[in-house]
Every structure is written in structure tokens, then in C-alpha cells.
């Protein structure tokens, strides 16, 4: 993947410095012009820790000037996310309370529109946006693993092993998505559509990396995972029905039907054997689990609201 | 310092890792490889490290769970 197009003064300065491998100019980096400018910059800085860019030297992953800009953007982002949270349930029966909290969330959703009314063009646009995450599906959770106790670590691995196809690359979820995207006539190259990703998609991806890459936020990362899994089975079934209605290839439909079944398992694991066990060990992080869960649902709802507005749906 | 013996980190307690978990108001989780025979005598082999078997009867992909129990529970609560 090549570095994306800049979306303002900060991303222009940072991406130019990354490509030239001369970051000295960033000692006086400009302010972000907009949320898009900030989030594209943060996304590019995080991306260095995943697959990186063909036009950026690998050494820059740990460049102090780039890291200091990342840190500042992360602080601003975390503050924004924390300002959005509602009242969380008090500690009690975690699994029951958590499933209730997720069920009570009232936000926009795209799957019903895809199932019944979306056009093929709209669904292709949605799939292009989804490539930003789904081609590296679950990787953000893998960052967490060394930061957990034996018990929680094993529980996360039990879930992640399924995400990664239980060792079979043909069944790895990101690979299933890649195959569906190719068969749908879209570009399955990693990062191919980053330049058309709206702010909400950048925010969603950046939240995953923020929680995954900061040990301090491990509880939020686990909560994000649990809410993501808990809100997946039924929407995946609706997505599959919509894709079928519009004549998408079987492999694209199967990506979603696989998630109907897999995520009905994963939601139980994420809530009970992962978050539940984690909170028995670190009960003081109860609200951070909910912070991550809320962020997962809220960012997806913001994206859905944006697209439904754009499509006048 | 009180001079008392300060114990070092304790080993983590023995953790249960059952083969079967009944989730309250949810599916039965099955760890490992199994073949399940449904009501009609059809055999279904598990394909993942942990599988969720429907217990509410409402799943559209039986014998596996598809999360439908959450809707059933919700409508009975409302």
C-alpha cells in the first residue's frame, strides 16, 4: 500500500516527512485543520504498526517525532471519545448487564437498509469502506494478548484462533472477505480504498488501534471486542440477505453467513470467558470495559447515520 | 517495613476449563470436535474451536446458535 492523500496541513506535513524519511521538519508540525486531517494522520501513523507503506521506510515505525505527534492525536481522540459516554451499569452480574446494555443501545444501523432497499452501488460503497478494517480483521485485538493474565490470554486466543481460521488461511476471516471483494469485482488490495474512507470509518479504525496499542486501555479494547461481537450475528444475517437480493457472488454472501454462526459463539466468549474473567481479576477497570463497548457501538452508529443521510435512506 | 514476611506473587488459581458451558438464557458452548445429531437424525460436525448449540429453539441455522435467543428474551421481557 502507498501512503494516502493528505486531507489538510498536518497530514500533508506528516505524510511528506514519512515518504522523504526526513522527520526533522515535524519538530514544528502544523495543527490539524479538521477532524479528517487529524484522523487520517493518526490512521497513517498507526498503519506503520500493521502492514506499513511501500513508500515509507520501516525504521520510521519508532521515529520519536512521529510518535510524539501520534501521542498528541491519541490524547485528543481519547478525550473526545470519553466526552461521548453515557451512564454505565453499576458492577453486578456482568454478562446479564452487558447484554442488556448492548440491547438497549439505540443507534442507526445499515444492515436493515442493505437487506431491504439498498442499491448495488450503495452496497459496493459500503464494502469499499469496510475493506479498511475487514482486510485486517481482528488484528487490533491481537495487540492485547501479551498484556493479559494467563486465563484471559487463553480465552482471547480461543476466540482469535477462530478469527484466524483455526490455522487454515482459507478460513481466516480477513481472507474470506478478500475473496468476496475480489469476486464482487472490487479491489482487494490492502488499503486500496483508504482515500475514500469517510471520517467515521477512520475514527472506527483508529479507536481499535488506540485501544489495542495502549496497554493502559486494555479493558476498553476487550469491551470494544465484546460489543462488536455482540452486535454482529443478526446484522450479518441481514447483510447476507441483502447481498443475496442484489445478486452478489456466493463468496461475499458467505463471509456474512460465516459471521452469523461465528459471532454467536464469539459474543458468548467475549462477554463471559474474556470480559467476565478479566473483571474478576481487575474489577477497577469495569467502566473502561463499558467505555470500549460504547465506543464500538457509537462509532458504528455514527457511520451508519452518515451513510443513510448520504443515501437519503 | 514491618519485618513480616512479604509473600511474592502468588501462582494464579487453578482455572476451570469445561468442555461444555450452558450460557444463562443462551446457547450451549461446546469445546472441541463433535458430531451433533439433530431432531431429524442429520449429523452436523463442529468446524471451529468452540461451537454454540441452539437451546432456545429459535435459531435459523440449527443446530447452531445465531443469537435469536436475545430477541426472544427481549420480547418476553417487553
Amino acid at each position: 500500500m502507498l501512503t494516502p492523500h493528505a486531507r489538510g496541513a498536518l497530514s500533508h506535513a506528516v505524510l511528506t516527512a514519512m515518504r522523504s524519511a526526513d522527520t526533522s521538519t515535524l519538530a514544528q508540525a502544523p495543527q490539524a485543520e479538521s477532524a479528517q486531517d487529524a484522523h487520517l494522520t493518526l490512521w497513517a501513523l498507526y498503519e506503520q504498526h500493521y502492514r506499513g507503506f511501500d513508500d515509507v521506510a520501516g525504521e520510521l515505525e519508532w521515529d520519536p517525532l512521529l510518535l510524539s505527534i501520534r501521542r498528541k492525536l491519541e490524547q485528543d481522540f481519547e478525550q473526545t471519545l470519553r466526552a461521548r459516554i453515557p451512564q454505565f451499569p453499576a458492577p453486578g452480574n456482568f454478562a446479564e448487564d452487558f447484554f442488556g446494555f448492548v440491547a438497549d443501545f439505540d443507534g442507526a444501523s445499515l444492515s436493515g437498509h442493505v437487506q431491504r432497499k439498498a442499491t448495488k452501488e450503495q452496497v459496493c460503497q459500503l464494502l469499499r469502506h469496510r475493506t479498511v478494517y475487514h482486510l485486517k480483521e481482528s488484528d487490533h485485538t491481537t495487540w492485547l494478548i501479551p498484556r493479559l493474565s494467563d486465563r484471559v490470554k487463553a480465552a482471547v486466543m480461543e476466540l482469535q484462533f477462530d478469527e484466524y481460521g483455526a490455522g487454515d488461511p482459507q478460513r481466516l476471516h480477513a481472507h474470506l472477505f478478500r475473496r468476496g471483494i475480489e469476486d464482487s469485482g472490487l479491489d482487494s488490495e490492502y488499503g486500496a480504498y483508504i482515500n475514500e474512507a469517510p471520517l467515521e470509518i477512520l475514527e472506527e479504525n483508529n479507536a481499535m488501534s488506540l485501544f489495542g496499542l495502549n496497554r493502559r486501555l486494555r479493558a476498553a479494547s476487550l469491551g470494544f471486542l465484546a460489543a462488536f461481537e455482540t452486535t454482529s450475528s443478526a446484522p450479518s444475517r441481514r447483510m447476507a440477505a441483502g447481498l443475496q437480493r442484489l445478486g452478489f457472488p456466493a463468496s461475499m454472501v458467505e463471509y456474512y453467513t460465516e459471521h452469523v454462526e461465528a459471532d454467536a459463539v464469539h459474543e458468548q466468549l467475549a462477554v463471559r470467558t474474556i470480559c467476565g474473567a478479566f473483571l474478576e481479576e481487575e474489577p477497577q477497570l469495569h467502566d473502561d470495559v463499558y467505555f470500549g463497548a460504547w465506543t464500538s457501538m457509537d462509532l458504528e452508529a455514527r457511520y451508519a447515520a452518515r451513510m443513510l443521510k448520504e443515501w437519503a435512506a | 517495613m514491618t519485618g513480616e514476611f512479604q509473600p511474592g506473587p502468588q501462582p494464579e488459581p487453578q482455572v476451570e476449563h469445561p468442555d461444555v458451558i450452558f450460557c444463562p438464557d443462551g446457547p450451549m458452548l461446546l469445546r472441541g470436535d463433535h458430531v451433533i445429531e439433530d431432531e431429524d437424525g442429520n449429523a452436523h460436525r463442529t468446524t471451529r474451536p468452540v461451537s454454540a448449540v441452539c437451546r432456545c429453539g429459535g435459531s435459523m441455522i440449527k443446530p447452531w446458535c445465531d443469537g435469536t435467543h436475545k430477541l426472544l428474551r427481549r420480547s418476553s421481557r417487553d
Side-chain angles (χ1 to χ4, degrees):
Chain A
M1 168 177 46
L2 296 173
T3 46
H5 300 149
R7 299 193 192 187
L10 177 63
S11 51
H12 177 75
V14 169
L15 292 166
T16 304
M18 284 166 68
R19 283 190 292 264
S20 69
D22 175 12
T23 57
S24 60
T25 53
L26 297 177
Q28 276 95 37
Q31 293 290 309
E33 270 178 38
S34 60
Q36 287 223 35
D37 190 21
H39 275 284
L40 183 79
T41 307
L42 185 55
W43 179 85
L45 292 170
Y46 280 145
E47 194 51 43
Q48 295 205 107
H49 302 294
Y50 292 94
R51 305 286 294 277
F53 299 100
D54 298 336
D55 51 350
V56 176
E59 288 75 17
L60 294 190
E61 182 181 352
W62 301 106
D63 180 273
L65 286 160
L66 290 176
L67 289 177
S68 73
I69 291 174
R70 181 186 123 186
R71 189 74 204 108
K72 172 71 173 69
L73 293 169
E74 282 184 319
Q75 282 166 340
D76 292 348
F77 186 34
E78 185 180 342
Q79 208 169 16
T80 301
L81 293 176
R82 287 199 186 271
R84 293 174 180 170
I85 59 177
Q87 182 78 37
F88 297 138
N93 179 332
F94 175 73
E96 193 177 318
D97 295 344
F98 189 88
F99 279 119
F101 178 73
V102 172
D104 289 341
F105 179 81
D106 187 20
S109 161
L110 289 172
S111 62
H113 176 67
V114 170
Q115 179 179 14
R116 289 185 299 273
K117 289 191 291 196
T119 64
K120 192 155 194 175
E121 289 68 33
Q122 289 172 348
V123 175
C124 283
Q125 186 185 13
L126 169 63
L127 291 172
R128 293 197 302 272
H129 291 165
R130 294 292 192 212
T131 59
V132 178
Y133 171 60
H134 286 326
L135 291 176
K136 60 174 181 226
E137 187 169 330
S138 303
D139 289 349
H140 65 105
T141 302
T142 307
W143 295 124
L144 270 177
I145 292 167
R147 299 166 182 165
L148 302 168
S149 70
D150 294 356
R151 179 187 179 199
V152 182
K153 179 184 288 181
V156 173
M157 277 306 300
E158 196 170 44
L159 190 160
Q160 289 294 88
F161 196 50
D162 198 29
E163 291 283 350
Y164 289 143
D168 178 355
Q170 300 300 324
R171 292 188 49 220
L172 185 116
H173 283 179
H175 182 79
L176 295 177
F177 189 75
R178 185 185 310 281
R179 213 165 50 197
I181 285 292
E182 274 166 18
D183 293 348
S184 302
L186 298 169
D187 190 344
S188 69
E189 197 196 329
Y190 185 78
Y193 295 112
I194 186 61
N195 287 323
E196 60 174 281
L199 170 66
E200 292 79 2
I201 287 286
L202 296 175
E203 279 193 320
E204 222 171 357
N205 279 271
N206 285 342
M208 295 184 208
S209 300
L210 169 71
F211 296 158
L213 283 169
N214 285 276
R215 187 179 58 82
R216 176 177 62 84
L217 296 172
R218 61 197 177 282
S221 185
L222 292 174
F224 191 107
L225 167 73
F228 200 89
E229 300 289 357
T230 305
T231 53
S232 175
S233 278
S236 292
R237 182 174 56 234
R238 291 192 285 270
M239 283 294 299
L243 290 164
Q244 222 151 13
R245 172 179 67 80
L246 291 164
F248 275 83
S251 56
M252 196 70 256
V253 177
E254 279 159 18
Y255 169 82
Y256 286 97
T257 52
E258 158 64 10
H259 282 76
V260 175
E261 187 184 313
D263 293 348
V265 181
H266 296 176
E267 67 181 7
Q268 299 297 336
L269 296 177
V271 172
R272 297 176 193 281
T273 65
I274 296 174
C275 287
F278 175 80
L279 286 174
E280 283 175 19
E281 295 171 2
E282 303 202 64
Q284 76 283 6
L285 294 178
H286 174 269
D287 280 9
D288 259 10
V289 170
Y290 277 98
F291 168 47
W294 172 263
T295 298
S296 168
M297 296 189 291
D298 180 54
L299 291 180
E300 176 56 22
R302 284 167 189 268
Y303 170 63
R306 179 207 171 92
M307 296 316 294
L308 292 173
K309 190 174 168 202
E310 186 176 320
W311 296 333
Chain B
M1 286 295 285
T2 60
E4 285 173 24
F5 173 68
Q6 299 287 324
Q10 294 296 301
E12 295 195 30
Q14 196 61 42
V15 175
E16 292 296 325
H17 191 67
D19 298 324
V20 179
I21 300 173
F22 286 88
C23 301
D25 296 317
M28 173 178 75
L29 300 182
L30 266 184
R31 288 190 164 114
D33 296 328
H34 303 276
V35 176
I36 295 179
E37 190 176 288
D38 64 23
E39 292 96 329
D40 303 321
N42 301 310
H44 303 266
R45 183 173 286 281
T46 58
T47 60
R48 51 186 86 251
V50 186
S51 304
V53 179
C54 172
R55 287 203 299 155
C56 74
S59 173
M60 283 183 258
I61 56 166
K62 278 191 281 189
W64 315 122
C65 168
D66 68 354
T68 297
H69 58 270
K70 291 188 286 187
L71 303 173
L72 297 179
R73 192 173 64 143
R74 220 168 150 62
S75 55
S76 69
R77 200 179 61 173
D78 292 345

